[in-house]
Amino acid sequence: MDRPGGSGGFAVGIDIGGTKTAVGLVDEQGRVLARLEMPTRPELGFERAVRQWIRAVEQLLEQVRLETTQLRGIGVGCAGPVDPRTGRIHNPYTLPGWEDCDVVTALQERFGVKVRLENDADAAVVGEWWVGAARGHDPVVMLTFGTGVGGGILLGGRIYRGSRGQHPELGHVLVSESGPRCYCGMEGCLESLASGTALATAGTPHGWTEASAVLTAAEQGHPVAEAIVARATRAAADAAWTLAHAFLPARFVLGGGLMRRLFDRFAAAMRERWARATQIRGHSIEVCRAALGSDAGLVGAAALGLGRFPE
Ligand SMILES: [Zn+2]
């Protein structure tokens, strides 16, 4: 049997989100050869999760008939604050109980390859830049609207990092003076208004306990649901205004599960805002849907595993 991907290398990408984790085997062209998905379940403990990731990698290798020795590396994108230098995660809010857990060592020991850890939104922007909607563009700003709101910036061919290698949290830029209180320490940040959690929280008193239920009710013309979605759209457009003025990206990429149903609406609101800008050429910014869909983080993590992207 021919090896998929020819003579190139293979890497594993692991995308750890607050509710689900995806593990994929990716070739040097950025193609996902096989993938597995599982609930994240932080409450069941970190050790169990690591065993699950290892088993998933073993299964994927078996599925495409690769030996462990053919694996070039593993990249992990994880929700929330992470330390890429130590391989540890620090996310007490979306991954409670996993504070200061070491994501890298156990995988490295089991598979004998280099393992790199990045924030999941950073992994996603790398994926979109490598083989997706932002290919060949720089700078790139990406926002991912899922359980929370993540963001990554690619600048000068590298992941933009803050002081001490920290990941800037674009999901917590302030967009409203009054809004729901967020765990980030402020009320009215983007995540508090435009995340899946925000939609579900606002919808719960009306019987819509999940973001998808709010979206369905809004699509059916329910005025309360429509107001919740309109508020989220306004928050996203306000954040895009601020980020456009701060970074003037060539591409502004929108990803995450919510964009399957809200991309057109969010993108239109952003374009409308930017068209009013007088101090930047807002119309030169192209807003695009993540071409890799929900695989952006996984593919980007694999690019890191392949060593295709500078540390
Ligand atoms: Zn916040």
Side-chain angles (χ1 to χ4, degrees), residues 237-264:
D238 287 345
W241 171 272
T242 298
L243 295 172
H245 283 75
F247 298 103
L248 257 183
R251 282 280 190 286
F252 200 97
V253 185
L254 305 182
L258 283 186
M259 288 305 99
R260 278 196 288 274
R261 291 168 77 178
L262 284 178
F263 173 79
D264 290 336

Side-chain angles (χ1 to χ4, degrees), residues 171-172 182-186 189-192:
H172 298 280
C182 178
Y183 60 84
C184 69
M186 193 47 77
C189 69
L190 177 60
E191 180 165 315
S192 77

Side-chain angles (χ1 to χ4, degrees), residues 11 35 54 62 83 106 153 160 163 180 183-184 218 241 260 264 299:
R35 76 196 295 290
I54 288 176
E62 206 178 292
D83 189 337
I153 303 158
Y160 173 81
S163 156
Y183 60 84
C184 69
W241 171 272
R260 278 196 288 274
D264 290 336
V299 170

Side-chain angles (χ1 to χ4, degrees), residues 141-201:
V141 171
M142 180 166 181
L143 290 177
T144 57
F145 295 86
T147 311
V149 181
I153 303 158
L154 191 130
L155 185 66
R158 307 184 88 92
I159 295 169
Y160 173 81
R161 297 186 199 285
S163 156
R164 300 179 185 207
Q166 291 188 87
H167 166 74
E169 289 286 346
L170 303 186
H172 298 280
V173 295
L174 206 59
V175 293
S176 170
E177 280 177 27
S178 60
R181 175 126 196 111
C182 178
Y183 60 84
C184 69
M186 193 47 77
E187 301 95 36
C189 69
L190 177 60
E191 180 165 315
S192 77
L193 293 160
S195 61
T197 306
L199 294 181
T201 304

